[in-house]
Amino acid sequence: MIGLIIPMEGGGGSEDSHWPPGVHSFDPKPLFPDAGMDWLNTYLLQAVVGAIIVIVVWLWLAKDQKVVPGFKQWCGEQLYNMVRNGIGRDALGYEYKRFTPYLLALFSFILVNNLFGQFFLTMFPTFSRVGYAYGLALLTWLLYNGVGIAKHGLGGYLKLMTVPKGVPWPLLILIIPLEILSNFIVRPVTLALRLFANLFAGHLVIIVFVVGGTLLLEQSSFLYAIAGGASLLMAFPIFALELFVGVLQAYIFTVLTAQYVASSLAEDH
């Protein structure tokens, strides 16, 4: 049972390198341990596979479109419409069309990598490694700053993001540093940490319930066996909760990305 819950964890090495579970349970395994390329590891492979899955699935969903959609086309249209209308159009207004492809790709990529946490061959959500979450947050940071500078010019954009309209000038001494901190530093950091923390916590809780339940079942005491069985049973609703959180966090990350882009394109705050 323990082997099922941590098949991609443990940092490599001996078979018992992942025991007992701890912080090292979140360390990746190098694909080529003797090559000196530790960055080429199982989690990078998982992220690449996730990107390939997103591309292949959307090409498949977009193939053979008909006026009267079948079930496959209907599923693709519902997901596309949710991102285009429920996120892009609601947040960005008339400019939503040019950002919809990125928002759809972003939502799909995060969702697939979060679902890896429930897939029996991986059992690990990619974004419970904070570096991957920071990477996506950096892309969002580059996007909303880039479109803002492109529309308003560098000076106009900096003024837009740091000088709120209608603020008395004496208060600007206090407001401008806070706006710089909020818009250029806090936004991407909190965007990444929100995604990472939820996925990390969910996976950690599952490990606690499964490993703890397994250890209790191995004890000779009848009461320990009952507690161990209850712990393993509790792991299933925790799995369901982590599945829900994975979908929710993909949605939230995409919504916030759209809102940040909208704030960069706005004429004033």
Side-chain angles (χ1 to χ4, degrees), residues 162-236:
T162 59
V163 183
K165 188 175 181 180
V167 176
W169 70 264
L171 291 179
L172 293 180
I173 299 175
L174 176 63
I175 294 298
I176 288 177
L178 291 177
E179 289 294 310
I180 292 174
L181 181 66
S182 173
N183 293 323
F184 297 108
I185 299 176
V186 173
R187 275 185 179 182
V189 171
T190 55
L191 192 64
L193 291 181
R194 184 184 296 105
L195 177 63
F196 156 73
N198 280 279
L199 275 298
F200 179 89
H203 191 64
L204 188 61
V205 170
I206 288 176
I207 290 179
V208 169
F209 273 93
V210 172
V211 173
T214 302
L215 292 176
L216 288 171
L217 286 175
E218 292 176 351
Q219 305 304 311
S220 57
S221 170
F222 176 70
L223 293 178
Y224 281 172
I226 294 177
S231 179
L232 291 179
L233 289 176
M234 278 297 298
F236 289 97

Side-chain angles (χ1 to χ4, degrees), residues 104-127:
L104 183 64
L106 181 67
F107 175 81
S108 303
F109 181 69
I110 297 175
L111 179 62
V112 168
N113 279 276
N114 288 353
L115 294 180
F116 279 141
Q118 284 73 45
F119 185 53
F120 71 98
L121 290 179
T122 54
M123 295 303 298
F124 189 89
T126 309
F127 295 109

Side-chain angles (χ1 to χ4, degrees), residues 25-241:
S25 296
F26 291 84
D27 292 339
K29 296 178 182 178
L31 295 177
F32 305 102
D34 300 326
M37 297 185 295
D38 291 346
W39 57 270
L40 192 59
N41 53 52
T42 48
Y43 301 158
L44 176 61
L45 175 63
Q46 187 168 286
V48 172
V49 170
I52 293 173
I53 290 174
V54 169
I55 294 171
V56 170
V57 168
W58 277 111
L59 287 176
W60 174 66
L61 290 173
K63 187 179 180 182
D64 300 327
Q65 296 286 297
K66 300 178 181 177
V67 176
V68 180
F71 180 73
K72 179 196 77 170
Q73 182 177 335
W74 179 84
C75 291
E77 288 177 353
Q78 292 304 306
L79 184 56
Y80 174 78
N81 287 336
M82 183 200 73
V83 176
R84 185 193 68 178
N85 300 336
I87 299 177
R89 189 167 63 186
D90 287 353
L92 293 161
Y94 70 93
E95 297 195 73
Y96 76 96
K97 288 185 179 180
R98 61 186 176 125
F99 298 103
T100 296
Y102 176 76
L103 295 176
L104 183 64
L106 181 67
F107 175 81
S108 303
F109 181 69
I110 297 175
L111 179 62
V112 168
N113 279 276
N114 288 353
L115 294 180
F116 279 141
Q118 284 73 45
F119 185 53
F120 71 98
L121 290 179
T122 54
M123 295 303 298
F124 189 89
T126 309
F127 295 109
S128 58
R129 290 286 292 183
V130 71
Y132 292 95
Y134 277 131
L136 279 190
L138 177 61
L139 289 179
T140 292
W141 186 85
L142 291 173
L143 176 65
Y144 76 76
N145 285 305
V147 298
I149 293 172
K151 180 173 182 177
H152 303 287
L154 179 59
Y157 177 67
L158 291 177
K159 180 180 178 181
L160 172 73
M161 299 300 283
T162 59
V163 183
K165 188 175 181 180
V167 176
W169 70 264
L171 291 179
L172 293 180
I173 299 175
L174 176 63
I175 294 298
I176 288 177
L178 291 177
E179 289 294 310
I180 292 174
L181 181 66
S182 173
N183 293 323
F184 297 108
I185 299 176
V186 173
R187 275 185 179 182
V189 171
T190 55
L191 192 64
L193 291 181
R194 184 184 296 105
L195 177 63
F196 156 73
N198 280 279
L199 275 298
F200 179 89
H203 191 64
L204 188 61
V205 170
I206 288 176
I207 290 179
V208 169
F209 273 93
V210 172
V211 173
T214 302
L215 292 176
L216 288 171
L217 286 175
E218 292 176 351
Q219 305 304 311
S220 57
S221 170
F222 176 70
L223 293 178
Y224 281 172
I226 294 177
S231 179
L232 291 179
L233 289 176
M234 278 297 298
F236 289 97
I238 296 297
F239 265 116
L241 178 61

